[in-house]
Amino acid sequence: MGYSLARQPRISGWQMSVLVFFAGSHINIVFTSRYLAASAGPDSWLSLLLGYAVAAGLIILAGNLSSRFPEKTFVEYSNTLAGSLVGRFISLSIALIFLGITAMQVRHVGHFIKSTLLINTPMEIVIVAMLLAVAYVLRHGLTTVTRLGELLFPIFIVSALFMMIISIPSLQFGRFTPLLSKGFLPVLKGGLVISSATLGYALPLFFAAFMLRPEESMSKGILGIVLTTTLTGSLLLFPIAIFGVAEASYRVYPFADVGRFIGLPGGILERIDVLLAFLVMMAMFVGLTIYFALVVMILARILGLKEPGLLALSLIPVVYFLSLRPGNFLVVEDWYKKLSVVGFAWLSVTIAFFLLLALIRKRV
Amino acid sequence: MKKMLILGLLVFSLILSGCWDMIDVEKVGYVTGLVIQSSSEKNQLGQKDTSPDETNPGPELEEGEDYRLTMQIILPQNIAAKEGGGGGEKPVWVLSGTGKTIFEIMRGITNRTGRPLGISHLRTIILSEEIARKGIMEVMDYFTRRYDVGYQSDLFVAPSGLAGKIMEVQPEIEKINAIYLFDLIHQAVKVSKSAHIELGDLFMNLRDGTSFVIPRIVPGENEMLVAGGAVFKKDRMVGWLGESDLHGYHWVTGQMQGGMVTVGPFPCPDDPTKYAVLTYDITEAKRRIRPHVSSDGKVSFTVNISTEGNIGEIRDTCQLDQPFIEVAEKEVTRAIKEQVEHVLLKMQQELGADIFGFESELKKRYPGVAEMLDWNAEFPNVEVAVHVKVFIRRIGLAERQTPPPWSER
């Protein structure tokens, strides 16, 4: 069996781009429009560009850092750079933040499915089923995760393009005016929303060592961000262009509601919302698998496990209980937002700190 | 390993053998139409209302603050029987209830239906004038939270005292009157006789705080009339618009989908002793609103309307030539301008509701000015210049109407 989140898997450049894309899309597709509209209002598109530009900048830094230690994983070179104790602490803290984010994502997925599709199904069943599926994919290694992403990417593209095309008559670009009417601060706030939701920039940091050509981690990572900006970015702006800032910032899942709003001529395909739910579920599942893989991989390295399959299985109850810990949806949102911002800040600082250390050591 | 596999299969067969969300469509009461009234309005059905939950009544609301909900539930078995030529049973079941919230009433009614209610096929929502004048933001909350509400449901407002009768009307052409209403509004919109608003658009208008129009529905004996509309300012109804006002409204908002303008009698250019009456058949209409801000900060608007159409009908025997077309175009231009100016005046002086979207145009172009203005105070006095261009493109399939030999004219 290919239990290999360890060294054996080899990721192609394109697979890296797809992974970065899904890691930046996942569950965020359904509700980030709300945060974006609430923070940046009509300037949401500027926030989006800013947020993804920051993510691309971090990919460049992360890629640069990884390229200095080819064949070494983040956990290994963090020990080299910052010493065993500090290195392990940083790696562990990142793993724990990602574990928290994964748990909140799982709860979000459960809430989304429970609220829009399976109303009478207990959320616990939805969450367990999703986690088992994720663990099954992970048990077969990182290669399976990458192939899953590669397989679902074209389906995602076709569904997303179809949805975009049928939404065109409902778009009102006037929703994005006036420009900068409240200054640049809302744009910055919206940019932070996007950057913190796009943790995909972290992937070159952790997956570069598994690439066929680790030196491509930066360029392929940027390609992934470009894909995220054009596709996911457009999908995030659609609810604002259709509903307007006020309504988009009021709805819990603005993206899913687009499906209920638009209709095809002649009433064909009445349940477009189901198509959108399918689109979202694909992104959610792949995104969740990537995040879970990151956690498992970092922890396995710290613990020195050669076969992380068992670790993946044993983390399921942890994620399950963590995901059910918040009492209600509002708490989930609050925790998820905070964890995402903390993750963004901590990873940014870590990348900058390690890069600085690497430069100093090289000089010395 | 095999044991684990078998154990896993057994566990999954227990968990996944059924589905919590399996719905047998025959066991769901599908609601196709809803009438929402104030509880003080008369129950026209002569049924006992579903009372609010008596075990947990809570503080009582003021008289008339509760809602009355009348719903039409579809009975598929009776429709099938009718289509098959048998049975004389009604294809719908009409039920009514009162309560503090729509949710409470819906759940209360399921105690009488014996089936859960499904609103995924909800086609029409009718609001009573009383409810509309009190404000509809709270009423709509139920629909914004539901997962199964289609945003394409159509909304209507019924004049005072008539809302309760709507579900009693039995139209000849369609047995389910919620569907009849759905067909009616889509036909009325094609000739611009009525406003049209769907649930999704209503949510947006309510959230944006803009003024809007909901079509008026008037029930008859075995028919219903959709004409005119109720004007809403924020979420409260402030007045009515008639059919001709709606024409003006459609011209300014760019929602003119079709319809006609009848002008005349006006003198024929070739023979001023003769007069013509002409119906202009609208095939295309466009509008553009441009806000202006003068150096002293005064706001004004220009509305440019251009339309293309055909001659639908002419009475009398004018020479059908280019001079006639030019005169007819001028007459139609004047008529459209009158329609627009009339509705503008009504909105500015009488109802004070900017249903045309002037404020949003100003916000787009002059956000700083819009921010400083109190639009409610500004709107009644704002100057609006209306420019109309009419192009008659086709004359139909006949030339000049010449008197036949037997005519003495």
Side-chain angles (χ1 to χ4, degrees):
Chain A
M1 288 232 257
Y3 301 100
S4 282
L5 292 168
R7 187 63 59 86
Q8 294 92 328
R10 282 286 174 240
I11 305 172
S12 70
W14 171 242
Q15 284 172 335
M16 173 59 97
S17 303
V18 171
L19 287 181
V20 170
F21 168 76
F22 276 116
S25 306
H26 60 93
I27 180 79
N28 284 345
I29 289 183
V30 274
F31 59 79
T32 305
S33 303
R34 172 158 52 100
Y35 297 158
L36 197 59
S39 317
D43 300 322
S44 299
W45 65 277
L46 278 175
S47 293
L48 206 93
L49 292 178
L50 178 72
Y52 287 134
V54 171
L58 282 170
I59 280 205
I60 293 171
L61 296 180
N64 189 300
L65 181 64
S66 302
S67 65
R68 290 166 189 271
F69 303 95
E71 298 295 311
K72 273 190 173 182
T73 66
F74 175 80
V75 178
E76 287 159 358
Y77 67 74
S78 65
N79 290 346
T80 313
L81 281 171
S84 176
L85 195 68
V86 177
R88 275 169 194 269
F89 167 74
I90 291 174
S91 301
L92 186 66
S93 60
I94 291 172
L96 290 179
I97 291 169
F98 271 99
L99 188 71
I101 291 174
T102 308
M104 290 308 106
Q105 281 188 357
V106 167
R107 176 70 179 267
H108 259 305
V109 173
H111 185 268
F112 174 74
I113 294 174
K114 169 93 180 152
S115 310
T116 57
L117 291 172
L118 304 174
I119 313 302
N120 299 315
T121 306
M123 194 162 66
E124 290 81 354
I125 297 295
V126 175
I127 289 177
V128 167
M130 182 71 89
L131 281 175
L132 284 174
V134 168
Y136 180 77
V137 173
L138 287 182
R139 201 171 141 72
H140 288 83
L142 195 57
T143 314
T144 321
V145 179
T146 52
R147 286 195 182 155
L148 178 76
E150 208 176 9
L151 183 77
L152 292 182
F153 184 70
I155 304 172
F156 183 91
I157 295 275
V158 171
S159 318
L161 286 177
F162 176 71
M163 184 257 154
M164 284 179 180
I165 290 166
I166 60 174
S167 301
I168 286 171
S170 305
L171 297 178
Q172 292 181 47
F173 292 105
R175 303 280 197 194
F176 297 112
T177 55
L179 194 66
L180 293 173
S181 62
K182 292 191 175 161
F184 207 71
L185 190 64
V187 178
L188 288 178
K189 282 184 185 170
L192 181 65
V193 167
I194 293 296
S195 299
S196 58
T198 316
L199 287 168
Y201 57 75
L203 295 192
L205 209 59
F206 300 101
F207 288 169
F210 304 114
M211 288 183 72
L212 286 168
R213 289 180 186 166
E215 67 276 11
E216 283 186 340
S217 68
M218 189 196 294
S219 58
K220 297 301 176 183
I222 289 176
L223 177 62
I225 286 290
V226 170
L227 286 172
T228 317
T229 312
T230 45
L231 261 172
T232 309
S234 308
L235 291 176
L236 290 180
L237 291 178
F238 267 52
I240 303 173
I242 292 171
F243 295 128
V245 170
E247 185 68 7
S249 50
Y250 171 74
R251 313 218 129 258
V252 172
Y253 297 124
F255 182 75
D257 286 337
V258 168
R260 295 202 277 161
F261 185 76
I262 51 178
L264 284 175
I268 48 167
L269 245 180
E270 268 189 29
R271 298 296 304 271
I272 294 170
D273 50 328
V274 175
L275 177 75
L276 285 197
F278 170 67
L279 188 76
V280 167
M281 301 254 285
M282 259 192 298
M284 277 187 209
F285 183 63
V286 183
L288 202 59
T289 314
I290 296 167
Y291 278 74
F292 210 112
L294 267 176
V295 176
V296 172
M297 212 176 63
I298 299 172
L299 287 179
R301 290 280 157 177
I302 294 172
L303 297 171
L305 299 176
K306 286 191 177 172
E307 298 298 340
L310 197 62
L311 181 67
L313 279 174
S314 57
L315 276 177
I316 286 182
V318 179
V319 174
Y320 174 76
F321 286 111
L322 271 179
S323 71
L324 293 178
R325 189 76 191 84
N328 60 54
F329 179 69
L330 295 176
V331 181
V332 177
E333 284 217 303
D334 191 38
W335 287 17
Y336 184 58
K337 254 195 246 176
K338 283 176 182 161
L339 280 168
S340 298
V341 173
V342 168
F344 166 68
W346 188 229
L347 269 168
S348 308
V349 169
T350 304
I351 293 168
F353 176 58
F354 279 2
L355 204 55
L356 197 68
L357 283 180
L359 287 170
I360 292 168
R361 286 190 174 231
K362 196 181 174 186
R363 277 191 191 174
V364 172
Chain B
M1 193 61 207
K2 269 189 178 175
K3 281 181 186 172
M4 286 291 284
L5 192 70
I6 292 166
L7 187 70
L9 283 173
L10 280 173
V11 170
F12 277 108
S13 66
L14 283 175
I15 300 173
L16 303 174
S17 57
C19 175
W20 281 271
D21 286 278
M22 188 189 79
I23 299 170
D24 189 346
V25 285
E26 289 169 8
K27 298 287 179 193
V28 176
Y30 283 105
V31 179
T32 50
L34 278 177
V35 177
I36 305 171
Q37 295 168 275
S38 160
S39 62
S40 59
E41 291 175 63
K42 202 178 156 193
N43 178 359
Q44 308 273 348
L45 299 170
Q47 293 175 350
K48 187 181 181 300
D49 283 328
T50 304
S51 303
D53 185 3
E54 284 167 11
T55 56
N56 183 24
E60 286 302 313
L61 294 173
E62 293 287 317
E63 174 66 28
E65 288 291 304
D66 284 1
Y67 301 126
R68 175 186 303 286
L69 198 67
T70 306
M71 66 182 66
Q72 195 176 62
I73 299 167
I74 210 154
L75 300 170
Q77 67 277 18
N78 291 359
I79 293 173
K82 267 187 184 290
E83 280 173 1
E89 300 292 321
K90 281 184 179 177
V92 290
W93 186 16
V94 180
L95 286 164
S96 174
T98 59
K100 287 178 187 169
T101 63
I102 308 277
F103 192 99
E104 181 187 289
I105 306 168
M106 296 287 276
R107 283 289 159 90
I109 286 179
T110 55
N111 292 344
R112 291 154 62 189
T113 58
R115 290 179 188 181
L117 297 176
I119 55 170
S120 53
H121 292 275
L122 182 65
R123 287 291 179 94
T124 47
I125 301 171
I126 296 122
L127 305 162
S128 73
E129 187 177 341
E130 285 76 5
I131 279 280
R133 287 195 185 271
K134 280 181 190 165
I136 59 170
M137 186 68 117
E138 290 176 0
V139 182
M140 288 299 136
D141 188 79
Y142 171 79
F143 300 99
T144 58
R145 288 181 199 282
R146 287 288 299 203
Y147 70 98
D148 54 353
V149 175
Y151 287 4
Q152 275 91 29
S153 304
D154 294 309
L155 283 117
F156 300 89
V157 174
S160 188
L162 297 177
K165 290 181 183 169
I166 287 171
M167 291 301 168
E168 288 180 330
V169 177
Q170 292 186 339
E172 294 293 329
I173 200 162
E174 168 65 61
K175 294 299 170 195
I176 302 165
N177 58 17
I179 293 173
Y180 167 66
L181 266 177
F182 182 83
D183 295 340
L184 209 58
I185 184 68
H186 287 272
Q187 191 51 42
V189 164
K190 282 182 191 165
V191 288
S192 304
K193 289 275 184 192
S194 170
H196 180 219
I197 191 162
E198 293 179 348
L199 199 55
D201 297 313
L202 178 76
F203 292 156
M204 284 188 267
N205 283 314
L206 287 173
R207 204 69 49 204
D208 290 340
T210 50
S211 298
F212 54 95
V213 182
I214 298 183
R216 173 171 55 189
I217 175 80
V218 182
E221 280 299 311
N222 54 1
E223 59 169 15
M224 286 190 257
L225 176 69
V226 175
V231 178
F232 281 74
K233 195 174 174 182
K234 296 212 161 53
D235 76 325
R236 283 169 195 268
M237 181 185 158
V238 290
W240 293 106
L241 278 183
E243 270 184 55
S244 64
D245 292 331
L246 268 176
H247 251 248
Y249 163 74
H250 287 312
W251 285 121
V252 182
T253 54
Q255 294 172 17
M256 183 62 80
Q257 288 190 24
M260 68 202 172
V261 179
T262 299
V263 290
F266 59 90
C268 297
D270 60 320
D271 183 356
T273 59
K274 289 182 179 174
Y275 287 85
V277 173
L278 176 141
T279 295
Y280 170 72
D281 180 17
I282 305 159
T283 56
E284 201 179 309
K286 289 178 190 162
R287 72 92 171 88
R288 187 168 187 172
I289 298 176
R290 291 191 79 90
H292 311 283
V293 179
S294 65
S295 54
D296 59 344
K298 201 176 168 191
V299 175
S300 61
F301 291 87
T302 309
V303 180
N304 291 308
I305 296 166
S306 72
T307 166
E308 290 187 12
N310 311 329
I311 293 176
E313 188 179 341
I314 311 171
R315 286 176 62 183
D316 224 306
T317 53
C318 294
Q319 179 74 37
L320 190 50
D321 52 12
Q322 185 55 26
F324 177 82
I325 295 287
E326 283 169 12
V327 170
E329 283 176 345
K330 274 185 192 164
E331 288 295 322
V332 177
T333 301
R334 191 180 49 77
I336 292 173
K337 211 173 167 185
E338 271 174 17
Q339 286 176 349
V340 171
E341 285 173 349
H342 183 261
V343 73
L344 276 170
L345 196 70
K346 186 168 183 174
M347 287 300 116
Q348 287 187 297
Q349 303 303 322
E350 214 177 293
L351 302 179
D354 175 14
I355 53 175
F356 312 103
F358 288 132
E359 188 187 14
S360 64
E361 294 293 336
L362 186 69
K363 274 182 183 168
K364 279 180 207 165
R365 198 167 269 261
Y366 301 103
V369 176
E371 188 89 359
M372 286 193 300
L373 284 179
D374 173 7
W375 188 243
N376 281 335
E378 189 73 16
F379 176 65
N381 306 314
V382 81
E383 271 181 32
V384 182
V386 181
H387 303 291
V388 182
K389 277 185 185 170
V390 176
F391 301 97
I392 295 174
R393 297 296 189 200
R394 284 161 290 275
I395 57 165
L397 299 181
E399 250 286 355
R400 178 188 182 186
Q401 192 182 106
T402 46
W406 46 263
S407 171
E408 290 180 1
R409 281 200 287 173

